Amino acid sequence: MDTLPKRVTVVKIVFCSNTTWYLWNYRLGLIKTLLNDGNDIYLLAPVDQTTKKFSDLGCRCVPIPMKRKGSNILQELLLLIRFYKSIKEIHPDVLITFTIKPVVYGGFVARFLGIPVVATITGLGTAFIRRGWITVVAKNLYKQGLVSAKTVFFQNHDDERMFIGAGLVSKHQVAQIPGSGIDLKRFSFSPLFETNRDGTEIFLLAGRMLWDKGIQEYVESARIVKVSYPNVEFQLLGEIGSDNVSAISKEKILSWQEEGIVAYLGVTSDVRPYIKKADCVVLPSYREGLSRTLLEAGAIGRPVIATRVVGCKEIVEDGRTGFLVNPKDPADLAAKLCQFLSLSLNERHQMGKVARQKIEEDFDEKHVIEKYISMISSCSSG
């Protein structure tokens, strides 16, 4: 029998992220649990298509315009002031932050106002992949924003070790969670045998269209594979035009499509039908916090091919739930894609079953929710 998490007695809890969409897609289960316990939930994030959904649930949405990236000092100062005014007015019992700006700015404000903070490092992003002056700036901001955090949750051990080693957090502050976890009922197992098969093999890469996701390597490997397997379809699913220095232009994506190398599927609010139609999910990323795409694919029962990097290697059991490849190596990726194509349908099905079992054992959303509720309870009790 599942052990129910301890009931939270906090009156006001503020969730803060750089998009409301993030909270809806990755933290909905936690927020619903807290609402059901009678807590007042505030969301501090930009308005988007999910804001009304949260309002309908009973959350109090406080809009705060925020770009994921930004180097204009005046605009960032105004954003920090906006954080201060909003958080001071609400004066929550606990502030829960996700993504870099909310973690940093929310941390500054909460420290000044004496509000407990539970911060989550969801991934280090371009600032840590493409090292330079921006990496130094990011580290300093993290250090100042996290210094008084009650707890800093990490989604993988590599990020945790790096933050401790760089003196950005102390050992007593940190804790581990398995990403955002997966709602195993919503992402239910779907055997490969049940998919509609017309002779076309489908590989799917789902995520924002960023170079750092390894999309260049995906395209180059597709060119190699199509020489021997012309009926294989390489799909891309996700947002174009992100405000990220690693963003790929729409023109480039469409040029690959016109060349016949990839099929761009656009953007979706529900990735499940696309994963179910795929034979295998591919993510040649340079670095992740803990890849949500790979968790979703494994929960549905799809084998995955991903790079042997932080945030991917923790999910994939090489040769059992999929294959791991070297980062930035399209030849190695193409070899593993061909190896997958040589598997029988039964072998792929068995690989998907093992993937589902691993997600059930290690990445069930209920474990993540329990950890957050335990920490929130600790904050409320002093």
Side-chain angles (χ1 to χ4, degrees):
M1 180 179 294
D2 293 340
T3 301
L4 294 175
K6 182 180 178 181
R7 181 183 174 88
V8 175
T9 57
V10 175
V11 175
K12 294 181 183 178
I13 306 169
V14 169
F15 283 81
C16 187
S17 172
N18 62 11
T19 66
T20 309
W21 179 93
Y22 171 88
L23 297 174
W24 182 266
N25 282 273
Y26 299 150
R27 307 296 168 180
L28 181 59
L30 171 60
I31 291 171
K32 282 184 173 180
T33 300
L34 292 168
L35 283 170
N36 289 339
D37 277 352
N39 298 281
D40 288 335
I41 304 299
Y42 292 77
L43 305 185
L44 191 60
V47 173
D48 62 27
Q49 69 276 13
T50 62
T51 302
K52 186 178 184 304
K53 295 179 181 179
F54 272 122
S55 295
D56 292 343
L57 286 177
C59 297
R60 306 186 189 192
C61 300
V62 180
I64 182 167
M66 188 186 338
K67 293 182 179 180
R68 288 173 179 164
K69 308 295 177 183
S71 56
N72 185 302
I73 295 177
L74 178 58
Q75 288 182 355
E76 295 307 305
L77 179 59
L78 291 174
L79 177 59
L80 179 59
I81 294 172
R82 185 73 176 267
F83 265 90
Y84 173 79
K85 289 182 177 179
S86 298
I87 295 173
K88 182 181 180 182
E89 182 176 349
I90 300 169
H91 202 81
D93 297 278
V94 180
L95 175 66
I96 304 178
T97 59
F98 307 91
T99 66
I100 182 168
K101 287 187 180 181
V103 166
V104 172
Y105 297 168
F108 287 158
V109 171
R111 180 183 179 186
F112 185 79
L113 296 175
I115 296 169
V117 179
V118 177
T120 302
I121 306 302
T122 55
L124 302 186
T126 302
F128 288 82
I129 294 173
R130 305 184 177 198
R131 294 179 179 274
W133 66 268
I134 191 66
T135 310
V136 176
V137 172
K139 284 184 176 181
N140 286 327
L141 288 173
Y142 267 127
K143 184 173 183 178
Q144 296 304 315
L146 294 172
V147 65
S148 62
K150 173 82 172 182
T151 295
V152 182
F153 281 124
F154 288 88
Q155 299 187 156
N156 63 69
H157 290 289
D158 294 74
D159 289 352
E160 178 186 315
R161 284 193 292 266
M162 192 277 284
F163 268 58
I164 293 175
L168 309 185
V169 294
S170 61
K171 289 184 178 180
H172 78 270
Q173 287 179 289
V174 303
Q176 281 280 323
I177 54 169
S180 55
I182 287 290
D183 182 339
L184 294 173
K185 292 182 179 179
R186 183 166 184 263
F187 288 87
S188 58
F189 182 69
S190 176
L192 270 169
F193 296 128
E194 295 180 0
T195 60
N196 295 320
R197 311 190 62 82
D198 59 2
T200 300
E201 310 270 11
I202 295 176
F203 289 112
L204 172 67
L205 190 160
R208 287 187 291 160
M209 297 295 104
L210 306 177
W211 296 111
D212 292 345
K213 294 294 183 182
I215 293 177
Q216 179 71 53
E217 290 77 10
Y218 183 68
V219 172
E220 291 180 16
S221 66
R223 287 196 178 99
I224 297 171
V225 172
K226 277 181 169 289
V227 172
S228 301
Y229 298 91
N231 291 330
V232 174
E233 183 172 299
F234 289 83
Q235 298 180 342
L236 290 172
L237 175 68
E239 175 190 4
I240 296 178
S242 170
D243 57 339
N244 188 301
V245 296
S246 179
I248 304 174
S249 69
K250 182 177 181 179
E251 291 73 23
K252 175 59 73 174
I253 298 289
L254 295 181
S255 72
W256 289 331
Q257 181 164 266
E258 290 172 4
E259 187 183 347
I261 299 301
V262 301
Y264 177 62
L265 307 179
V267 182
T268 182
S269 59
D270 188 357
V271 73
R272 291 172 296 174
Y274 297 91
I275 294 177
K276 290 177 181 179
K277 290 180 181 178
D279 293 274
C280 178
V281 171
V282 184
L283 185 63
S285 180
Y286 301 165
R287 186 187 182 100
E288 297 284 322
L290 194 74
S291 170
R292 174 74 175 203
T293 295
L294 298 184
L295 295 179
E296 292 169 344
I300 288 174
R302 291 300 171 270
V304 298
I305 298 176
T307 36
R308 193 178 285 103
V309 298
V310 176
C312 294
K313 64 184 180 180
E314 296 85 355
I315 302 171
V316 184
E317 293 187 15
D318 196 17
R320 297 192 70 240
T321 67
F323 298 110
L324 288 171
V325 302
N326 299 321
K328 303 182 181 181
D329 189 343
D332 188 31
L333 177 56
K336 292 301 192 299
L337 293 169
C338 289
Q339 184 176 349
F340 176 82
L341 290 170
S342 71
L343 298 176
S344 68
L345 182 58
N346 185 62
E347 288 173 321
R348 299 178 193 181
H349 176 68
Q350 291 302 316
M351 188 173 277
K353 285 181 63 178
V354 176
R356 170 69 184 192
Q357 291 168 2
K358 180 174 179 60
I359 301 301
E360 289 177 346
E361 293 170 2
D362 298 339
F363 301 102
D364 190 333
E365 181 186 51
K366 69 181 182 182
H367 302 314
V368 178
I369 292 173
E370 287 169 2
K371 286 199 171 187
Y372 274 101
I373 288 181
S374 176
M375 189 50 58
I376 294 169
S377 298
S378 174
C379 291
S380 67
S381 61

mmCIF file of all heavy atoms in Angstrom, residues 1 8 12 20 26 39 46 50 72 110 116 118 171 216 219 227 256 261 273 288 295 334 341 345:
data_model
loop_
_atom_site.group_PDB
_atom_site.id
_atom_site.type_symbol
_atom_site.label_atom_id
_atom_site.label_comp_id
_atom_site.label_asym_id
_atom_site.label_seq_id
_atom_site.Cartn_x
_atom_site.Cartn_y
_atom_site.Cartn_z
ATOM 1 N N MET A 1 0.851 -1.194 0.000
ATOM 2 C CA MET A 1 0.000 0.000 0.000
ATOM 3 C C MET A 1 0.889 1.249 0.000
ATOM 4 O O MET A 1 1.872 1.341 0.730
ATOM 5 C CB MET A 1 -0.892 0.014 1.250
ATOM 6 C CG MET A 1 -1.810 1.247 1.318
ATOM 7 S SD MET A 1 -2.861 1.209 2.801
ATOM 8 C CE MET A 1 -3.880 -0.223 2.439
ATOM 9 N N VAL A 8 0.431 18.994 4.390
ATOM 10 C CA VAL A 8 1.066 20.287 4.561
ATOM 11 C C VAL A 8 0.123 21.228 5.306
ATOM 12 O O VAL A 8 -1.064 21.272 5.022
ATOM 13 C CB VAL A 8 1.417 20.885 3.180
ATOM 14 C CG1 VAL A 8 1.974 22.293 3.340
ATOM 15 C CG2 VAL A 8 2.427 19.995 2.478
ATOM 16 N N LYS A 12 0.066 29.708 2.713
ATOM 17 C CA LYS A 12 0.378 30.284 1.414
ATOM 18 C C LYS A 12 1.665 29.693 0.847
ATOM 19 O O LYS A 12 2.700 29.686 1.522
ATOM 20 C CB LYS A 12 0.554 31.798 1.516
ATOM 21 C CG LYS A 12 -0.691 32.577 1.881
ATOM 22 C CD LYS A 12 -0.365 34.068 1.914
ATOM 23 C CE LYS A 12 -1.563 34.880 2.344
ATOM 24 N NZ LYS A 12 -1.229 36.333 2.411
ATOM 25 N N THR A 20 4.501 29.683 -17.135
ATOM 26 C CA THR A 20 3.413 28.948 -16.475
ATOM 27 C C THR A 20 3.281 27.572 -17.110
ATOM 28 O O THR A 20 2.901 26.597 -16.441
ATOM 29 C CB THR A 20 2.091 29.720 -16.600
ATOM 30 O OG1 THR A 20 2.293 31.068 -16.178
ATOM 31 C CG2 THR A 20 1.006 29.112 -15.723
ATOM 32 N N TYR A 26 5.026 20.105 -15.760
ATOM 33 C CA TYR A 26 5.978 19.371 -14.926
ATOM 34 C C TYR A 26 5.635 19.333 -13.443
ATOM 35 O O TYR A 26 6.170 18.501 -12.712
ATOM 36 C CB TYR A 26 7.383 19.968 -15.087
ATOM 37 C CG TYR A 26 7.918 19.903 -16.496
ATOM 38 C CD1 TYR A 26 8.799 20.865 -16.966
ATOM 39 C CD2 TYR A 26 7.547 18.889 -17.371
ATOM 40 C CE1 TYR A 26 9.306 20.818 -18.262
ATOM 41 C CE2 TYR A 26 8.040 18.838 -18.658
ATOM 42 C CZ TYR A 26 8.923 19.797 -19.098
ATOM 43 O OH TYR A 26 9.418 19.744 -20.382
ATOM 44 N N ASN A 39 -4.405 24.260 0.845
ATOM 45 C CA ASN A 39 -3.446 25.359 0.835
ATOM 46 C C ASN A 39 -3.809 26.425 -0.197
ATOM 47 O O ASN A 39 -4.462 26.128 -1.205
ATOM 48 C CB ASN A 39 -2.042 24.826 0.534
ATOM 49 C CG ASN A 39 -1.566 23.866 1.589
ATOM 50 O OD1 ASN A 39 -1.132 24.266 2.662
ATOM 51 N ND2 ASN A 39 -1.657 22.577 1.306
ATOM 52 N N PRO A 46 4.902 34.326 -16.132
ATOM 53 C CA PRO A 46 4.258 35.006 -17.257
ATOM 54 C C PRO A 46 2.940 34.337 -17.635
ATOM 55 O O PRO A 46 2.769 33.128 -17.469
ATOM 56 C CB PRO A 46 5.290 34.866 -18.393
ATOM 57 C CG PRO A 46 6.590 34.619 -17.704
ATOM 58 C CD PRO A 46 6.260 33.838 -16.478
ATOM 59 N N THR A 50 -1.787 28.283 -20.382
ATOM 60 C CA THR A 50 -2.106 27.421 -19.237
ATOM 61 C C THR A 50 -2.555 28.217 -18.009
ATOM 62 O O THR A 50 -3.020 27.633 -17.034
ATOM 63 C CB THR A 50 -0.901 26.550 -18.850
ATOM 64 O OG1 THR A 50 0.190 27.398 -18.441
ATOM 65 C CG2 THR A 50 -0.449 25.689 -20.022
ATOM 66 N N ASN A 72 19.910 42.969 -20.695
ATOM 67 C CA ASN A 72 19.679 44.383 -20.456
ATOM 68 C C ASN A 72 19.590 44.609 -18.942
ATOM 69 O O ASN A 72 18.636 44.173 -18.293
ATOM 70 C CB ASN A 72 18.387 44.837 -21.151
ATOM 71 C CG ASN A 72 18.152 46.321 -21.035
ATOM 72 O OD1 ASN A 72 18.081 46.865 -19.937
ATOM 73 N ND2 ASN A 72 18.004 46.984 -22.171
ATOM 74 N N ALA A 110 13.538 36.562 -1.247
ATOM 75 C CA ALA A 110 13.146 35.766 -0.081
ATOM 76 C C ALA A 110 14.147 35.927 1.059
ATOM 77 O O ALA A 110 13.772 35.977 2.240
ATOM 78 C CB ALA A 110 13.015 34.306 -0.474
ATOM 79 N N PRO A 116 11.228 31.313 3.721
ATOM 80 C CA PRO A 116 11.913 30.067 3.358
ATOM 81 C C PRO A 116 11.774 29.775 1.865
ATOM 82 O O PRO A 116 10.710 29.986 1.276
ATOM 83 C CB PRO A 116 11.191 29.004 4.188
ATOM 84 C CG PRO A 116 10.495 29.754 5.269
ATOM 85 C CD PRO A 116 10.154 31.085 4.700
ATOM 86 N N VAL A 118 12.506 26.863 -1.288
ATOM 87 C CA VAL A 118 12.874 25.545 -1.801
ATOM 88 C C VAL A 118 13.158 25.739 -3.285
ATOM 89 O O VAL A 118 12.245 26.012 -4.068
ATOM 90 C CB VAL A 118 11.750 24.515 -1.596
ATOM 91 C CG1 VAL A 118 12.157 23.166 -2.209
ATOM 92 C CG2 VAL A 118 11.434 24.351 -0.109
ATOM 93 N N LYS A 171 26.774 21.410 1.427
ATOM 94 C CA LYS A 171 26.295 20.028 1.426
ATOM 95 C C LYS A 171 24.990 19.866 2.193
ATOM 96 O O LYS A 171 24.145 19.041 1.832
ATOM 97 C CB LYS A 171 27.359 19.106 2.015
ATOM 98 C CG LYS A 171 28.572 18.909 1.115
ATOM 99 C CD LYS A 171 29.549 17.912 1.729
ATOM 100 C CE LYS A 171 30.734 17.687 0.809
ATOM 101 N NZ LYS A 171 31.718 16.716 1.387
ATOM 102 N N GLN A 216 21.684 18.963 -34.935
ATOM 103 C CA GLN A 216 22.605 18.865 -36.079
ATOM 104 C C GLN A 216 23.066 17.418 -36.263
ATOM 105 O O GLN A 216 23.088 16.885 -37.382
ATOM 106 C CB GLN A 216 23.818 19.763 -35.862
ATOM 107 C CG GLN A 216 24.853 19.712 -36.990
ATOM 108 C CD GLN A 216 24.355 20.384 -38.255
ATOM 109 O OE1 GLN A 216 23.933 21.532 -38.229
ATOM 110 N NE2 GLN A 216 24.406 19.674 -39.370
ATOM 111 N N VAL A 219 20.298 15.230 -37.683
ATOM 112 C CA VAL A 219 20.123 15.408 -39.120
ATOM 113 C C VAL A 219 21.239 14.715 -39.893
ATOM 114 O O VAL A 219 20.993 14.026 -40.890
ATOM 115 C CB VAL A 219 20.070 16.910 -39.468
ATOM 116 C CG1 VAL A 219 20.097 17.126 -40.978
ATOM 117 C CG2 VAL A 219 18.829 17.562 -38.865
ATOM 118 N N VAL A 227 20.530 6.217 -46.484
ATOM 119 C CA VAL A 227 21.180 5.548 -47.621
ATOM 120 C C VAL A 227 20.809 4.069 -47.646
ATOM 121 O O VAL A 227 20.516 3.491 -48.698
ATOM 122 C CB VAL A 227 22.711 5.718 -47.546
ATOM 123 C CG1 VAL A 227 23.395 4.869 -48.618
ATOM 124 C CG2 VAL A 227 23.099 7.184 -47.694
ATOM 125 N N TRP A 256 15.773 21.532 -44.094
ATOM 126 C CA TRP A 256 15.987 20.096 -43.889
ATOM 127 C C TRP A 256 14.756 19.310 -44.319
ATOM 128 O O TRP A 256 14.866 18.225 -44.886
ATOM 129 C CB TRP A 256 16.291 19.819 -42.417
ATOM 130 C CG TRP A 256 17.633 20.285 -41.959
ATOM 131 C CD1 TRP A 256 18.770 20.409 -42.710
ATOM 132 C CD2 TRP A 256 17.979 20.694 -40.625
ATOM 133 N NE1 TRP A 256 19.811 20.869 -41.927
ATOM 134 C CE2 TRP A 256 19.356 21.042 -40.646
ATOM 135 C CE3 TRP A 256 17.282 20.788 -39.434
ATOM 136 C CZ2 TRP A 256 20.030 21.479 -39.499
ATOM 137 C CZ3 TRP A 256 17.942 21.228 -38.301
ATOM 138 C CH2 TRP A 256 19.310 21.564 -38.341
ATOM 139 N N ILE A 261 15.019 15.136 -45.381
ATOM 140 C CA ILE A 261 15.780 14.482 -44.309
ATOM 141 C C ILE A 261 14.942 14.333 -43.051
ATOM 142 O O ILE A 261 14.974 13.292 -42.382
ATOM 143 C CB ILE A 261 17.063 15.279 -43.998
ATOM 144 C CG1 ILE A 261 17.962 15.337 -45.233
ATOM 145 C CG2 ILE A 261 17.817 14.644 -42.830
ATOM 146 C CD1 ILE A 261 18.394 13.977 -45.748
ATOM 147 N N PRO A 273 0.515 11.139 -28.176
ATOM 148 C CA PRO A 273 0.199 10.467 -29.454
ATOM 149 C C PRO A 273 1.412 10.326 -30.366
ATOM 150 O O PRO A 273 1.528 9.339 -31.094
ATOM 151 C CB PRO A 273 -0.859 11.379 -30.083
ATOM 152 C CG PRO A 273 -1.436 12.146 -28.950
ATOM 153 C CD PRO A 273 -0.316 12.340 -27.983
ATOM 154 N N GLU A 288 21.505 17.648 -20.066
ATOM 155 C CA GLU A 288 20.147 17.838 -19.570
ATOM 156 C C GLU A 288 20.188 17.929 -18.042
ATOM 157 O O GLU A 288 21.190 17.563 -17.416
ATOM 158 C CB GLU A 288 19.250 16.671 -19.981
ATOM 159 C CG GLU A 288 19.074 16.501 -21.472
ATOM 160 C CD GLU A 288 18.134 17.521 -22.083
ATOM 161 O OE1 GLU A 288 17.128 17.866 -21.430
ATOM 162 O OE2 GLU A 288 18.419 18.009 -23.193
ATOM 163 N N LEU A 295 11.963 10.305 -20.052
ATOM 164 C CA LEU A 295 11.074 9.719 -19.043
ATOM 165 C C LEU A 295 9.708 9.396 -19.650
ATOM 166 O O LEU A 295 9.143 8.325 -19.406
ATOM 167 C CB LEU A 295 10.903 10.674 -17.867
ATOM 168 C CG LEU A 295 12.143 10.989 -17.025
ATOM 169 C CD1 LEU A 295 11.789 11.979 -15.920
ATOM 170 C CD2 LEU A 295 12.749 9.733 -16.428
ATOM 171 N N ALA A 334 24.389 7.281 -35.892
ATOM 172 C CA ALA A 334 23.875 6.552 -37.055
ATOM 173 C C ALA A 334 24.051 5.041 -36.873
ATOM 174 O O ALA A 334 23.158 4.255 -37.230
ATOM 175 C CB ALA A 334 24.593 7.005 -38.322
ATOM 176 N N LEU A 341 17.300 -0.530 -35.881
ATOM 177 C CA LEU A 341 16.494 -0.953 -37.027
ATOM 178 C C LEU A 341 16.678 -2.441 -37.333
ATOM 179 O O LEU A 341 15.792 -3.063 -37.926
ATOM 180 C CB LEU A 341 16.848 -0.111 -38.255
ATOM 181 C CG LEU A 341 16.404 1.356 -38.194
ATOM 182 C CD1 LEU A 341 17.024 2.146 -39.341
ATOM 183 C CD2 LEU A 341 14.885 1.472 -38.220
ATOM 184 N N LEU A 345 10.640 -6.809 -34.153
ATOM 185 C CA LEU A 345 9.569 -6.103 -33.450
ATOM 186 C C LEU A 345 9.449 -6.618 -32.027
ATOM 187 O O LEU A 345 9.233 -5.844 -31.085
ATOM 188 C CB LEU A 345 8.239 -6.288 -34.194
ATOM 189 C CG LEU A 345 7.027 -5.562 -33.598
ATOM 190 C CD1 LEU A 345 7.272 -4.067 -33.504
ATOM 191 C CD2 LEU A 345 5.779 -5.852 -34.423
#
